[in-house]
Amino acid sequence: MLSPIIIGQVIVNGLSLSAIYVLIALGFTLLFGIMRVVNFAHGAFAMLGGYALYYLYGKYALPYPLAVPLAALIVAVLSLVLETLVFRWFYQKMFQSMIGLLGLNMALMFSSVIVWDVYERSIPPAFSGVLRLGGLILAADRLMVIGIAIIALLAFWLFMTKTRYGVAMRATADDVEIAEAQGIDTRTIYRLAFLVAIFMTALAGGLYAQIYALSPFMGERPLIVAFVVVILGGMGSIPGAALGGVILGFTESILSTFYGAAVSSFVSFGVVIALLIFRPWGLLGKPE
Amino acid sequence: MTRTAWKAATIAVALLAGTATTYAQEELKIGAIGSLSGGGTAWGLALQRGVTLAIDEATKAGGLKIGGKTYMPKLVMYDDQYTATGGKTAADRLVNLDKVKYIIGPIGSPPVLASVAVSSPAKVIQLSNGFAPAILKNDAKSPYNFRVMNSNVEFGPAMIKWLHKNYPAIKKVALIAPNDAVGQAVIPTLVEAYKANGIEVWTEMYDRGMKEFTPLLTRMMAQNVDLFDLNSNAPGEAGLLLKQARQAGYQKMIWQVGGPSVDEIINVAGPLADGFLSYETFDFSSPQAQAFDKAYHAKWDGIINAQAPGWYNAAKILFKAMETAGSTDVTAVRDALMKVEGYDSGMYGPVIWGGQADYGVAHQLLLPFWIVEVKNGKSTIRDKLTPEKR
């Protein structure tokens, strides 16, 4: 088992998994970081991102570089209605948000069953080839996800650190009252943060649906992954989400390859439990 | 008589005639359990639609003529969410609340085992489909419980024998299966059948719901297997396993002794599905399939799941047994079910019951099945096989 090719393949698989996991967790951690909302409807927004990409790229054949961000943007803009009707009532109410948004998740999921039925669909791959480097094998669609994850993380970091709105978001996350006293319109900032978070979630959902499969029930796994990644990295921490995604991706790749799926799941969730006991704020989070 | 009086008399006669018709035809509840939400929904819908078509036919023919009475069958169905809890709850409702005497479904070992535990003590006939041998082989000896589609005990050995004959160079097979009642029931049977044909087996289990199999497939490829069997994986997972195996560079043969889920696999894996071989429960290109296809698409759109004809067939056999028994009494219908051998609903040929040697009770319907191969994105028939009656 321990040949250089297998080890190389484990690293490649780990990178590819990390990229998917980081993308999925970004929107989830942002909503918690700014508004203290545990978005249990995260999987449903990812699913809606999948359907949006299915129509724009799969049905209407828009160019892929346009279809991917446009699908996410459409879901994010339309979701502002839900922000007004549902989300804003749960800002800064962590426990209430869990139950309320779990209900929203079910409502969105079963509405989708009515609209699109239950059958799994596939979004045509943008790149279906396989790259061979020596003995290493790289699926082209996974390389694309790694690229998009790096771009998304960079853009996200630049937005949060270099723009006025990003700084205002961080200030609001630190202390709402002081941010308001400094003249920041926190309602607008919340809506903007919501828009950005759902955009990231729908973007990740579109790519996830394209790599795996699209159905109204596809959101369950992204929700679990986001939760695990964010707990590992620290709730609300963007660098934490990146670190959590990389740790989970590589842990799964190494353990599944050398010890099997059962050991991988056992260790991954075991680490999360241990972390919740000894460092509940996560690796890069801040203690309350 | 005035015009008003004529009108009143006409209405009265019409009402009386309507009442008389109602009294002549009794309603006969046919219970059904299937997944109408969650990952197994495609199968639950296949069950619902297959049975509905059989009921529609009976209704169009003026009802079921049983012992001098005419009965109009009516479907009462509940969702089991493809879970044991859902199966038990649905069976409890059908048996205790709706007072049904016959249940069709569910699909999948967990809900079937849970619902049979309710229907058997209540002496309710149940026609189900799940791969676990315990569905028929149990302490109660399945007095009212029948399996109406082949399990891997019926089609597995025949398929693997066919494989060994047609692909003698295959010496090692990989089985990656869900770590639940389905996987744990299926794997031992398949391992035994492969070993009986001199093929070495490597197995690995995963948690159902998993989507990323690349690390597991890297592990599999390190074992130098000649064949990858998708066995009991649900359609979505089977499609992903195939797609990711090809993307990970696995170039040898992939087939599925289970499912069937050929259309779904083509849908998920696209061109990567070419060359895939699978078990198939129905030949949609056959002449008898055309009538079924027409009736189905008169009511619903989309792909017909291959289980739908099987459930139509099961309902037709049940109706035939009721008419043969001349009674709706459960024990009489149960005995009549065993006597309808030779009856042909028009889908699979004559009814054959088997399973005595494997389960201690001959309550297993033996259906012919097909081996198909995906060529240029289409499923094409490679061979037709029949399970051995034991």
Side-chain angles (χ1 to χ4, degrees):
Chain A
M1 279 291 273
L2 269 176
S3 69
I5 294 291
I6 296 282
I7 292 169
Q9 198 63 51
V10 167
I11 294 169
V12 166
N13 293 344
L15 268 176
S16 155
L17 280 173
S18 303
I20 297 168
Y21 293 167
V22 170
L23 267 180
I24 285 171
L26 276 177
F28 188 84
T29 205
L30 181 68
L31 268 190
F32 184 81
I34 312 279
M35 287 93 114
R36 290 290 180 270
V37 162
V38 182
N39 184 14
F40 272 2
H42 183 77
F45 289 109
M47 176 264 294
L48 292 174
Y51 278 102
L53 188 62
Y54 171 78
Y55 282 105
L56 293 187
Y57 180 65
K59 285 268 176 199
Y60 304 121
L62 256 63
Y64 193 68
L66 175 66
V68 171
L70 188 60
L73 189 66
I74 289 170
V75 174
V77 170
L78 292 178
S79 298
L80 285 174
V81 176
L82 289 172
E83 194 271 345
T84 306
L85 293 175
V86 183
F87 273 82
R88 70 187 176 112
W89 305 104
F90 294 116
Y91 290 158
Q92 308 297 337
K93 293 174 186 165
M94 193 168 78
F95 294 109
Q96 291 93 323
S97 71
M98 289 184 190
I99 303 300
L101 298 179
L102 196 61
L104 178 67
N105 185 60
M106 293 178 81
L108 290 173
M109 193 165 73
F110 286 105
S111 302
S112 304
V113 170
I114 294 167
V115 177
W116 291 298
D117 75 38
V118 297
Y119 291 100
E120 284 195 332
R121 291 172 163 83
S122 58
I123 302 172
F127 310 94
S128 56
V130 172
L131 253 79
R132 289 174 191 273
L133 292 172
L136 291 181
I137 294 158
L138 279 155
D141 62 349
R142 303 303 177 95
L143 274 178
M144 176 201 69
V145 171
I146 294 173
I148 291 177
I150 292 169
I151 292 168
L153 259 178
L154 267 176
F156 208 65
W157 178 79
L158 283 173
F159 175 78
M160 293 301 279
T161 54
K162 307 287 178 195
T163 67
R164 284 177 64 84
Y165 284 110
V167 174
M169 264 187 213
R170 283 161 53 210
T172 310
D174 278 345
D175 195 311
V176 182
E177 285 170 9
I178 291 178
E180 280 175 352
Q182 297 294 318
I184 294 172
D185 179 357
T186 54
R187 177 79 192 103
T188 305
I189 290 300
Y190 276 173
R191 280 175 72 84
L192 181 65
F194 179 86
L195 189 85
V196 174
I198 300 301
F199 176 86
M200 296 305 299
T201 305
L203 179 80
L207 298 173
Y208 189 92
Q210 192 173 27
I211 290 176
Y212 303 117
L214 172 66
S215 88
F217 308 109
M218 65 158 262
E220 284 172 23
R221 196 76 186 175
L223 176 63
I224 295 171
V225 164
F227 213 66
V228 171
V229 166
V230 166
I231 285 174
L232 269 175
M235 290 288 273
S237 163
I238 305 295
L243 181 66
V246 170
I247 290 175
L248 186 68
F250 274 90
T251 306
E252 204 174 306
S253 176
I254 294 166
L255 294 179
S256 290
T257 306
F258 294 115
Y259 302 101
V263 172
S264 170
S265 296
F266 184 80
V267 172
S268 299
F269 285 96
V271 167
V272 169
I273 292 168
L275 206 71
L276 282 170
I277 294 169
F278 299 108
R279 196 179 164 86
W281 53 89
L283 294 171
L284 298 182
K286 290 178 192 163
E288 290 284 326
Chain B
M1 215 182 238
T2 64
R3 284 179 71 179
T4 313
W6 270 114
K7 274 182 192 169
T10 310
I11 290 166
V13 169
L15 282 173
L16 276 171
T19 316
T21 309
T22 308
Y23 277 116
Q25 293 178 339
E26 279 188 37
E27 184 181 276
L28 181 67
K29 284 182 185 171
I30 306 293
I33 305 172
S35 307
L36 297 175
S37 61
T41 310
W43 290 337
L45 284 175
L47 186 152
Q48 187 183 42
R49 293 173 179 183
V51 177
T52 299
L53 289 178
I55 288 178
D56 284 355
E57 256 181 40
T59 309
K60 205 183 263 181
L64 298 168
K65 313 286 185 296
I66 303 169
K69 280 188 184 174
T70 302
Y71 291 88
M72 302 306 284
K74 185 193 168 197
L75 183 65
V76 184
M77 181 164 180
Y78 295 116
D79 179 13
D80 65 15
Q81 298 170 326
Y82 202 54
T83 62
T85 319
K88 186 187 178 305
T89 309
D92 273 331
R93 287 186 73 176
L94 287 171
V95 170
N96 299 316
L97 199 71
D98 299 300
K99 308 282 181 199
V100 304
K101 294 177 182 175
Y102 319 96
I103 296 175
I104 299 179
I107 306 169
S109 300
V112 173
L113 288 167
S115 56
V116 164
V118 175
S119 64
S120 279
K123 296 185 177 176
V124 168
I125 288 177
Q126 185 163 356
L127 311 178
S128 65
N129 177 28
F131 282 1
I135 290 171
L136 289 180
K137 192 178 183 179
N138 49 52
D139 292 341
K141 296 192 186 301
S142 296
Y144 296 93
N145 173 27
F146 296 79
R147 183 158 53 199
V148 288
M149 286 184 214
N150 296 324
S151 77
N152 66 317
V153 172
E154 284 71 49
F155 63 77
M159 278 186 79
I160 292 164
K161 207 170 156 185
W162 178 91
L163 174 90
H164 189 53
K165 188 180 154 199
N166 289 279
Y167 299 90
I170 288 174
K171 299 291 176 206
K172 190 172 182 182
V173 60
L175 301 170
I176 297 181
N179 196 4
D180 61 10
V182 181
Q184 287 176 10
V186 167
I187 293 299
T189 316
L190 288 180
V191 169
E192 197 183 314
Y194 277 115
K195 283 185 176 170
N197 286 279
I199 299 170
E200 194 188 337
V201 185
W202 176 84
T203 60
E204 179 65 50
M205 310 292 268
Y206 68 88
D207 293 334
R208 205 182 269 281
M210 196 167 153
K211 299 285 179 200
E212 181 55 64
F213 298 102
T214 314
L216 272 188
L217 292 163
T218 304
R219 182 175 168 79
M220 176 189 87
M221 285 159 66
Q223 310 295 322
N224 286 320
V225 296
D226 307 310
L227 169 72
F228 178 24
D229 180 354
L230 300 177
N231 63 83
S232 54
N233 286 286
E237 279 137 7
L240 285 177
L241 276 163
L242 186 145
K243 179 180 166 184
Q244 290 174 21
R246 293 297 185 218
Q247 285 183 332
Y250 180 76
Q251 291 172 326
K252 293 178 184 171
M253 185 173 159
I254 302 179
W255 86 330
Q256 185 169 25
V257 184
S261 41
V262 184
D263 288 329
E264 291 89 343
I265 285 174
I266 294 171
N267 197 19
V268 172
L272 295 174
D274 267 14
F276 169 64
L277 272 84
S278 176
Y279 165 70
E280 184 56 276
T281 54
F282 195 62
D283 176 9
F284 281 102
S285 62
S286 66
Q288 63 266 39
Q290 306 311 310
F292 184 83
D293 185 278
K294 198 177 164 193
Y296 185 99
H297 283 116
K299 280 182 96 90
W300 305 286
D301 294 326
I303 298 168
I304 305 176
N305 185 284
Q307 295 226 18
W311 293 111
Y312 166 86
N313 183 53
K316 293 281 285 183
I317 292 171
L318 178 65
F319 295 161
K320 177 69 181 171
M322 289 173 181
E323 289 176 338
T324 305
S327 159
T328 56
D329 174 73
V330 174
T331 307
V333 175
R334 187 266 315 263
D335 295 342
L337 268 170
M338 302 309 298
K339 289 177 194 156
V340 297
E341 273 212 346
Y343 164 70
D344 185 355
S345 75
M347 304 304 279
Y348 296 94
V351 169
I352 305 168
W353 292 107
Q356 187 69 44
D358 292 310
Y359 314 112
V361 60
H363 284 189
Q364 170 67 51
L365 189 62
L366 301 178
L367 300 174
F369 62 92
W370 291 262
I371 292 177
V372 293
E373 183 175 356
V374 178
K375 286 181 182 169
N376 301 317
K378 297 269 180 213
S379 170
T380 52
I381 301 282
R382 273 284 301 266
D383 217 336
K384 182 182 179 184
L385 304 177
T386 311
E388 186 187 345
K389 180 168 180 170
R390 304 199 300 170

